[in-house]
Amino acid sequence: LEEGLREALAWRRGELEVREVDPLPAERIKAIRRKVARSARHFEKRFGIPAETLQNWEQGRRKPDLAARLLLKVIEEDPEAVERAARRP
């Protein structure tokens, strides 16, 4: 907690660099899904991300967190690798 407060103060003083993270807009999420799956249900079966979650992202009702955005980008680049990983126990 103390470390977080120190970082916040350093940021306020301009001592920390702030990076913008690609927000991955809803349209791009939908394009990724269409590229690799026929439907949200097929995407769920293939990669393990619940169809309802994906639909919320695609419709802009919710935004994926950083980990989800990274996973979606990997799915976009190498869907077979993610599919293999999702199948392993």
Side-chain angles (χ1 to χ4, degrees), residues 4-38:
L5 290 172
R6 282 194 293 275
E7 285 183 10
L9 290 171
W11 171 81
R12 180 149 178 127
R13 291 189 301 265
E15 298 169 0
L16 288 180
E17 181 180 332
V18 177
R19 267 185 44 198
E20 291 293 319
V21 178
D22 181 4
L24 210 58
E27 301 81 31
R28 183 161 170 211
I29 295 169
K30 187 179 281 189
I32 292 168
R33 196 256 309 148
R34 285 181 174 162
K35 176 181 172 184
V36 300
R38 296 180 303 274

Side-chain angles (χ1 to χ4, degrees), residues 72-83:
L72 288 166
K73 288 178 183 182
V74 175
I75 289 171
E76 182 177 37
E77 294 295 321
D78 194 352
E80 288 78 19
V82 177
E83 187 174 27

